Amino acid sequence: MTQATSRITAGRADLAAWKAAQPANFFRAEPLLAQTLSLVAPESLTPDFIARLDTHGAACATELDEAATINNRPWNLPRLERYDAIGNRTEEIENHPSYHDAGRVIYESGLMGELAHEGGLLRSLAFFTLSSMCGEAAHNCPVACTAGIISSLSAVGSPELRAAYLPGLLSRSYKTRLDGAQFLTEVQGGSDVGAGDTRALPLADGSFAIHGEKWFCSNAGADLILMTARYPDGPEGTSGLGLFLVAKTLPGGAPNHFVIRRLKDKLGTRSMPSGEIDFQGAIAHSVGPLRDGFKTVMRYVINLSRIYNAIAVTGAALRAASVAASYARHRRAFGGPIAEYASVIDLVAAMRSDAAASLVATLSLAPAAERAMRGTASADEQSFVRFATNLNKVVTARLAVETTLRGIETLGGNGAIESFSILPRLHRDMIVCENWEGTPNVLCAQMARDLHRGRIDDAFFAHVSARFEALSSEAARPLAEAAPAAIAELAARLDATRALPHDRATLAIKRLSVPLAALWYAAELARLGEHDPDGQKQPWALQAALHLWNRHLGPTVGAIGGDEYELARAVAAL
Ligand SMILES: Cc1cc2nc3c(=O)[nH]c(=O)nc-3n(C[C@H](O)[C@H](O)[C@H](O)COP(=O)(O)OP(=O)(O)OC[C@H]3O[C@@H](n4cnc5c(N)ncnc54)[C@H](O)[C@@H]3O)c2cc1C
């Protein structure tokens, strides 16, 4: 064997060892999920729930991962089949068998059924974290949409709609379950929902006929569609929108008076079909009071989707960090493992601390968000949830785009190869997810409007202050000491946006969004670091909090605590 050949063999063996080191169970490989659940809702961690997460973690790392890889291959993507064999119009989406394999793993975890019970949002999100480690996987967007239909029907749906659809929506059986889609966006604009011009015409029996066109229709083959449409004689803008439920088929099985024009050829989330749909008299039912359509969709659907979106991107970021860290351990360059290079350590540390922060913050927010939706939150808690949900959607998505990109950088050329790792697909999915449920600009514009209307930020800063004040360990001292001045500084900068015209305030808030979120994320990570279930403190989380602070808040309020490189080494844990 020549020298060159033995090097090639060794190089390939390193790659094989990296492949072999990939986790067989995401729940076990990512202890942060169980640690965060034990912090946020210790009562949820029953032996049965842990066993279900463990089973799901194994299924996601094996069956789901394989199915998602297969159903994302260009030749396996969903196709539109308009007619059946004898020429009846069906408007069916034809999916590769691996699409159904993925769906079975995701729905049979029972994540939708959790939403029937108080505290269920957090438990549903725990399952969703694990499936999101495989990227969109064809069903993650539909899961979020289905959750929105469950939430809105449970809160304001008529008894008939609830009885007809909730059992199917909550079902754990992939075969018999119902899934959902939500269509707001029209060709003239997605952010400007009030510009929508699809119409709902009343019918004699109290139902409506929908006419018009929706431009982005994800999960185009869904059993149930929740959509906005203008009710008759309503005002312009969002107040003239009703919210309607449309079943895919009419009794007898024919399509419900709609035509899918085509499926979109997308950058990411490619195995999940997104179409353009013409509604030509689709039979629909109002969900909640007709004139409250926009309020209903925001309160019960979009705010919830923003939290599912945050977990979808967090799962992808956790996976990217895990793939990159294991690669760094196995890949060698210039005679040693790349894990020993400071610049690689820096990449992995950033990935790990950003992904961890996104997870801990979003899961910590979930119980309060559920209370806000159920109407049992205090006024302060509602303000906190509104502010934090929008901020968190913006920042988790941004960090996930950056994290998946860092993952690609860590793998070098191999990072850019679709068949080599999940990273290119995760990165493409993240770019799409950043647009969903409100673009960053639009969410910052909403935050600007909220700030102009009142003191919504007080609840956010009070929450963050309380978290820092509760820290007591020596290791957390730099954070506890630096927090009051940082909070005062950011609160003052945010307050100053009130004096700006709305559009300029939007931009100023966008620029502040990462440091603001990092302040909160550092507080939640540090809280986890001091959490002590069974005498098991989480010192890594405290180090991650410091690391996160220095990268995202350092430039605004100053860095804290120890040697930057040593901190990165500890957080990268290579
Ligand atoms: C793959 C995919 C699937 C989708 N699926 C669905 C779906 O199932 N249902 C659905 O309803 N929608 C869906 N969408 C649409 C998505 O929600 C919209 O793309 C998004 O809301 C933005 O709307 P838009 O594309 O019309 O952009 P626009 O609203 O035209 O925005 C263009 C740019 O202008 C900025 N902008 C707009 N308004 C403001 C403002 N006030 N201040 C500052 N900047 C502003 C935006 O941030 C953006 O950068 C999907 C999109 C994609 C890519």
Side-chain angles (χ1 to χ4, degrees), residues 554-568:
T556 316
V557 300
I560 49 174
D563 179 84
E564 196 194 323
Y565 175 61
E566 287 308 319
L567 199 52

Side-chain angles (χ1 to χ4, degrees), residues 45-232:
L45 278 180
T46 59
D48 173 60
F49 183 55
I50 293 173
R52 283 174 58 205
L53 286 172
D54 193 51
T55 304
H56 191 53
C60 288
T62 54
E63 290 163 65
L64 179 61
D65 203 42
E66 188 181 342
T69 304
I70 295 171
N71 70 34
N72 271 283
R73 291 189 179 130
W75 49 93
N76 294 338
L77 296 181
R79 286 185 305 119
L80 176 59
E81 283 295 340
R82 285 243 162 75
Y83 297 94
D84 69 9
I86 57 169
N88 292 309
R89 202 176 253 287
T90 56
E91 299 304 315
E92 281 296 333
I93 309 290
E94 195 169 292
N95 293 295
H96 188 265
S98 56
Y99 172 96
H100 300 294
D101 295 340
R104 264 188 294 278
V105 172
I106 292 175
Y107 284 94
E108 294 186 355
S109 70
L111 85 172
M112 304 316 317
E114 294 295 344
L115 296 175
H117 313 289
E118 211 172 315
L121 176 58
L122 181 69
R123 290 194 298 272
S124 177
L125 294 174
F127 291 110
F128 195 59
T129 304
L130 297 169
S131 62
S132 298
M133 291 173 80
C134 299
E136 163 57 38
H139 297 276
N140 274 356
C141 158
V143 160
C145 295
T146 305
I149 300 185
I150 292 170
S151 147
S152 54
L153 283 188
S154 303
V156 295
S158 68
E160 295 76 24
L161 290 181
R162 292 215 295 258
Y165 297 124
L166 276 179
L169 290 163
L170 292 164
S171 170
R172 196 171 170 171
S173 155
Y174 179 69
K175 204 166 176 189
T176 58
R177 63 93 174 84
L178 299 175
D179 69 346
Q182 55 198 42
F183 304 160
L184 282 75
T185 306
E186 300 185 9
V187 70
Q188 65 277 19
S191 309
D192 188 0
V193 176
D197 206 26
T198 296
R199 308 262 157 182
L201 305 181
L203 299 173
D205 65 355
S207 63
F208 292 81
I210 306 277
H211 294 267
E213 172 196 320
K214 292 287 178 184
W215 179 241
F216 272 106
C217 303
S218 286
N219 198 17
D223 300 303
L224 293 168
I225 297 163
L226 194 66
M227 63 186 290
T228 49
R230 307 207 79 79
Y231 57 81

